[in-house]
Amino acid sequence: MSEKIEFVQRENLKEKPDPTDLSFGKYFTDYMLSYDYDLDKGWHNLQIVPYGPIEISPAAQAIHYGQAVFEGLKAYKHNGEVVLFRPDENFKRINHSLARLEMPQVDEETVLEGLKQLVDIERDWVPEGEGQSLYIRPYVFATEGVLGVRPSYSYKLLIILSPSGSYYGGESLSPTKIYVEDEYVRAVRGGVGHAKVAGNYAASLLAQTNASKLGYDQVLWLDGVEQKYVEEVGSMNIFFVENGKVITPELNGSILPGITRKSVIELANQLGYEVEERRVSVEELIESHKQGELTEVFGTGTAAVISPVGQLKYGEQEIIINNNETGPVTQKLYDNYVGIQSGQLADPQNWRVVVPKY
Amino acid sequence: MSEKIEFVQRENLKEKPDPTDLSFGKYFTDYMLSYDYDLDKGWHNLQIVPYGPIEISPAAQAIHYGQAVFEGLKAYKHNGEVVLFRPDENFKRINHSLARLEMPQVDEETVLEGLKQLVDIERDWVPEGEGQSLYIRPYVFATEGVLGVRPSYSYKLLIILSPSGSYYGGESLSPTKIYVEDEYVRAVRGGVGHAKVAGNYAASLLAQTNASKLGYDQVLWLDGVEQKYVEEVGSMNIFFVENGKVITPELNGSILPGITRKSVIELANQLGYEVEERRVSVEELIESHKQGELTEVFGTGTAAVISPVGQLKYGEQEIIINNNETGPVTQKLYDNYVGIQSGQLADPQNWRVVVPKY
């Protein structure tokens, strides 16, 4: 830590929300971390300040040209301790995303230290119920007020915190219905699909709405070139269990390198599964389902954790996975993953980072 | 007009910038148009207010998920009149962009009426020098402060005004050097390339920076599927003159339907040129240049108007167009286009819309 973090206290703390009605990303805590960048000073003015409206220029480049990236991670409470899950991976990835949009790199340790101090102050906001956590949203956006299309000269990093229930609102492990999207495309190699940039999400909304209208929970994106190979699901990476093997599309430049994806691959290996990262076509899935070899499908993501898929719709074809029930591999991975996250199981890889009491 | 526009006056007007040092999108006028949307009221609260910082939620969805679209057009002053150029086309297109990102449609006439009243108040800000204009930036962004990925329930539309010189800073018609981008991709069919959405621009910055480092002014994007066919240049559409014919890539779902593009096609037809909208491969360009048939290349866009291209670099090949000089077709289109815009030539299509004195 090269920089002392200033703490600007608020006069009155907020009332905390009803823990049985948290939903996702709706309530925010009392404070946020704030960090500024300009060409002269670089990153400076690291502060913990009251959560509240921010002032921006009407010409701020983030609003006009989408120069904005984000991350998502979670804090859990167990036995009175507050724990972050692999936060170093998130700050590594935010630098990857920042580079893709020509935004300045952050010092990963400085920001992680700031996050720990923030979460320490807000430890009473970390919910303890089943499937609940404190969702953490670090993000960086361009603030310069000038309309030429070029990288901004100034930026703001904020970290905001939201006590949250499960992402899809329902049971943690109730299987979802997925629509294979064969018209709209999320990303293509050479684009920004591998980075966690704001514009990717706006671009996904129309397909998601169309799928919802047809009764599906999420969209499964295909590759942008041939529209044949599976990429990812809505806000999750996707996994298949075929003949007992755990298979997921390989990172190809248009798929987001999920931290849950990476962790689930590592965990599956440790649990003795054979794991393959490779191209997976929709046709392969339909065919292997017909042969009885495709036994489970699940998505992974920070918000959704591990989420079973019960149904896949592709054109006129609809396949039911594992009788629309959570399969044994999905269940085992989920139990182990959530066990480590929450602190109920051992953590041999040191994925859990305890938030110190400062 | 269904709605009366409230005018909130500021105490002191700003000092106007030196008209010889305007550059592009750097100075802003005294007022802006502001319009709010929420699910209950729809669009409401149409106001002309002092230009200045705006307050947003730190969770505003535009910043996190890129739900933001914009437009660009210009006002010119001639013989004491202030004139807009085809503003109806911009508000038609903003609705097209809004639809792609699942944002609410605006009433085109209401917003155009608001713009006229705003520009009337700011008519002293419209510069009169050669190549100068009042650049007009309408934009809409998501304001709801919630982190679930779904269309926002609230939005803000703003129109800000910036007295501007020529976009590239130099002479209006000095030929640019273009780098044909064969690694990064701007857009693909099924994506959002045909809409004027914020994220498209952030995604373009890295390729632009790389091209600048190699000494090129702009990037020429290729199609996202085969990376063979020409799409558009940086913030412009692109035209070629081959054997006297005016050729431009056809709109294919990943190319922005430029209003200058459309106007130049119409104008070229009126001036008696044969115009073709079709697929154009880079290989065709290289070959027809070799045959002496590719005589001119130029870009079109609101900011850049009509901008000749003097050089194209593709892989190891570099071709010089028309001895790096502005060709006769480009010059003729430019003179006629700018003549109509500025009011120095007749306007048989009624492209010019005079801003009334209210």
Side-chain angles (χ1 to χ4, degrees):
Chain A
M1 265 304 295
S2 52
E3 208 170 339
K4 170 139 178 51
I5 302 177
E6 191 191 346
F7 178 29
V8 182
Q9 280 193 264
R10 59 191 297 156
E11 289 197 11
N12 299 300
L13 297 184
K14 297 187 203 175
E15 204 174 322
K16 297 197 174 46
D18 176 356
T20 65
D21 177 38
L22 289 178
S23 90
F24 178 80
K26 187 170 145 194
Y27 300 103
F28 297 93
T29 68
D30 290 305
Y31 294 100
M32 59 188 181
L33 189 76
S34 175
Y35 204 14
D36 295 317
Y37 178 92
D38 66 37
L39 281 191
D40 289 343
K41 295 189 207 155
W43 286 106
H44 65 285
N45 201 26
L46 183 59
Q47 292 184 308
I48 292 171
V49 299
Y51 178 92
I54 50 176
E55 261 198 2
I56 62 169
S57 162
Q61 295 202 320
I63 300 280
H64 293 264
Y65 303 131
Q67 227 196 345
V69 307
F70 70 94
E71 276 300 324
L73 68 161
K74 286 177 172 175
Y76 299 88
K77 194 179 268 180
H78 182 63
N79 288 343
E81 269 187 340
V82 173
V83 170
L84 304 171
F85 189 77
R86 307 192 83 174
D88 48 316
E89 292 287 340
N90 292 93
F91 293 114
K92 215 183 284 175
R93 188 171 63 183
I94 208 170
N95 270 336
H96 170 78
S97 301
L98 288 166
R100 183 61 183 85
L101 294 195
E102 289 276 298
M103 298 165 75
Q105 299 285 289
V106 294
D107 182 72
E108 296 166 22
E109 284 185 31
T110 301
V111 182
L112 178 51
E113 176 62 26
L115 172 61
K116 287 180 186 169
Q117 294 189 26
L118 174 67
V119 174
D120 176 44
I121 290 169
E122 302 289 54
R123 59 175 64 239
D124 289 347
W125 281 89
V126 185
E128 295 186 70
E130 160 119 37
Q132 295 183 338
S133 59
L134 184 70
Y135 182 77
I136 297 166
R137 168 57 57 89
Y139 56 113
V140 185
F141 59 98
T143 54
E144 197 192 359
V146 61
L147 295 180
V149 178
R150 59 155 172 78
S152 174
Y153 295 159
S154 61
Y155 298 89
K156 189 179 273 294
L157 177 152
L158 291 173
I159 301 182
I160 59 179
L161 308 176
S162 173
S164 293
S166 80
Y167 187 72
Y168 294 122
E171 300 271 321
S172 301
L173 275 178
S174 89
T176 51
K177 293 173 65 179
I178 303 280
Y179 183 88
V180 182
E181 178 57 57
D182 54 5
E183 179 186 358
Y184 297 111
V185 171
R186 174 185 171 273
V188 67
R189 51 91 188 84
V192 295
H194 59 86
K196 211 161 172 69
V197 308
N200 287 342
Y201 294 80
S204 77
L205 296 173
L206 186 56
Q208 176 64 45
T209 297
N210 291 347
S212 298
K213 282 181 189 158
L214 295 170
Y216 295 86
D217 301 304
Q218 291 269 310
V219 158
L220 175 58
W221 298 105
L222 300 180
D223 76 285
V225 176
E226 298 182 65
Q227 296 185 290
K228 273 171 61 179
Y229 298 98
V230 166
E231 299 226 318
E232 58 183 273
V233 169
S235 45
M236 302 188 290
N237 292 109
I238 185 115
F239 285 77
F240 308 95
V241 182
E242 265 185 28
N243 293 319
K245 280 193 281 196
V246 175
I247 300 167
T248 192
E250 66 189 343
L251 300 179
N252 60 356
S254 51
I255 293 175
L256 189 79
I259 295 164
T260 311
R261 174 187 181 280
K262 179 180 177 170
S263 305
V264 164
I265 290 172
E266 291 170 31
L267 187 60
N269 274 315
Q270 288 157 32
L271 292 171
Y273 294 108
E274 193 178 330
V275 180
E276 285 180 6
E277 293 179 70
R278 61 168 171 83
R279 289 216 293 195
V280 180
S281 71
V282 199
E283 289 306 338
E284 170 189 337
L285 296 175
I286 306 260
E287 187 54 31
S288 73
H289 178 262
K290 203 182 285 171
Q291 305 298 329
E293 294 166 354
L294 178 68
T295 52
E296 300 180 42
V297 180
F298 59 93
T300 64
T302 293
V305 193
I306 292 176
S307 178
V309 174
Q311 220 165 312
L312 276 180
K313 163 97 169 165
Y314 177 56
E316 294 306 306
Q317 303 177 78
E318 183 135 42
I319 61 178
I320 307 290
I321 317 292
N322 193 45
N323 200 27
N324 207 14
E325 286 164 11
T326 302
V329 179
T330 307
Q331 186 72 51
K332 188 164 176 184
L333 286 166
Y334 178 84
D335 290 342
N336 277 273
Y337 193 79
V338 169
I340 297 171
Q341 274 190 328
S342 64
Q344 281 154 353
L345 291 179
D347 173 28
Q349 319 296 314
N350 293 314
W351 285 344
R352 302 170 67 228
V353 174
V354 175
V355 174
K357 292 185 180 164
Y358 288 87
Chain B
M1 263 303 293
S2 51
E3 209 170 338
K4 171 139 177 52
I5 302 177
E6 191 191 347
F7 178 28
V8 183
Q9 279 192 266
R10 59 192 297 155
E11 289 197 13
N12 299 299
L13 298 184
K14 297 186 202 176
E15 204 175 322
K16 295 194 175 50
D18 176 355
T20 65
D21 178 38
L22 290 177
S23 89
F24 178 80
K26 187 169 146 194
Y27 300 103
F28 297 94
T29 69
D30 290 305
Y31 293 100
M32 59 188 183
L33 189 76
S34 176
Y35 205 16
D36 296 317
Y37 178 92
D38 65 37
L39 280 190
D40 289 343
K41 295 189 209 155
W43 285 106
H44 66 285
N45 200 25
L46 183 60
Q47 289 184 309
I48 292 170
V49 298
Y51 178 92
I54 49 177
E55 261 199 1
I56 61 169
S57 162
Q61 296 201 321
I63 300 280
H64 293 264
Y65 303 132
Q67 225 195 347
V69 307
F70 69 95
E71 275 301 323
L73 68 161
K74 286 176 172 175
Y76 299 88
K77 195 180 267 181
H78 182 65
N79 288 341
E81 269 188 339
V82 173
V83 171
L84 304 171
F85 189 77
R86 307 192 83 175
D88 47 317
E89 292 287 339
N90 292 93
F91 293 113
K92 215 184 282 176
R93 188 171 64 182
I94 209 170
N95 270 336
H96 170 79
S97 301
L98 287 166
R100 183 60 184 84
L101 294 194
E102 289 276 300
M103 298 165 75
Q105 299 286 290
V106 294
D107 181 72
E108 296 166 22
E109 282 185 34
T110 301
V111 182
L112 178 52
E113 176 63 26
L115 172 61
K116 287 181 187 168
Q117 294 189 26
L118 174 67
V119 173
D120 176 45
I121 289 169
E122 301 289 53
R123 58 175 65 239
D124 289 347
W125 281 88
V126 185
E128 296 187 69
E130 159 119 41
Q132 295 182 338
S133 59
L134 185 71
Y135 182 78
I136 297 166
R137 168 58 57 90
Y139 56 113
V140 184
F141 58 98
T143 54
E144 197 192 0
V146 62
L147 295 181
V149 178
R150 60 156 172 77
S152 174
Y153 295 159
S154 62
Y155 298 89
K156 188 180 273 295
L157 176 151
L158 292 174
I159 301 182
I160 58 179
L161 308 176
S162 174
S164 293
S166 80
Y167 187 71
Y168 294 122
E171 300 270 320
S172 302
L173 275 179
S174 89
T176 52
K177 292 172 67 178
I178 303 280
Y179 183 90
V180 181
E181 179 58 55
D182 55 5
E183 179 186 357
Y184 296 110
V185 171
R186 175 184 171 274
V188 67
R189 52 92 189 81
V192 295
H194 59 85
K196 210 161 173 67
V197 309
N200 287 341
Y201 295 79
S204 77
L205 296 173
L206 186 55
Q208 176 63 46
T209 297
N210 292 346
S212 298
K213 282 180 190 159
L214 295 170
Y216 295 87
D217 302 303
Q218 292 270 309
V219 157
L220 176 57
W221 299 105
L222 299 180
D223 76 286
V225 176
E226 298 182 64
Q227 295 185 294
K228 274 171 60 178
Y229 297 98
V230 165
E231 298 226 318
E232 58 183 274
V233 169
S235 46
M236 302 188 292
N237 292 108
I238 184 119
F239 284 78
F240 307 96
V241 181
E242 266 185 27
N243 294 319
K245 281 193 281 198
V246 174
I247 299 166
T248 192
E250 66 189 344
L251 301 179
N252 60 356
S254 50
I255 292 176
L256 189 79
I259 295 164
T260 311
R261 175 188 180 279
K262 178 179 178 173
S263 304
V264 164
I265 290 172
E266 292 171 28
L267 188 59
N269 274 317
Q270 288 157 31
L271 292 172
Y273 294 107
E274 193 178 331
V275 181
E276 285 180 7
E277 295 179 72
R278 61 168 171 83
R279 289 216 293 195
V280 180
S281 71
V282 200
E283 289 305 338
E284 170 189 337
L285 297 175
I286 306 258
E287 188 54 31
S288 72
H289 177 262
K290 204 182 283 169
Q291 305 298 328
E293 295 166 353
L294 178 67
T295 52
E296 301 179 44
V297 180
F298 59 92
T300 64
T302 294
V305 193
I306 292 177
S307 178
V309 174
Q311 220 165 313
L312 276 178
K313 163 98 169 163
Y314 177 57
E316 295 306 306
Q317 304 177 77
E318 183 134 44
I319 62 179
I320 308 290
I321 316 290
N322 194 43
N323 201 25
N324 206 15
E325 286 164 9
T326 302
V329 179
T330 308
Q331 186 71 52
K332 187 165 176 183
L333 287 166
Y334 178 86
D335 290 342
N336 277 273
Y337 193 77
V338 170
I340 297 171
Q341 274 191 326
S342 65
Q344 280 152 355
L345 291 179
D347 173 28
Q349 319 295 315
N350 294 313
W351 285 344
R352 302 169 67 227
V353 174
V354 175
V355 174
K357 292 185 180 166
Y358 288 88

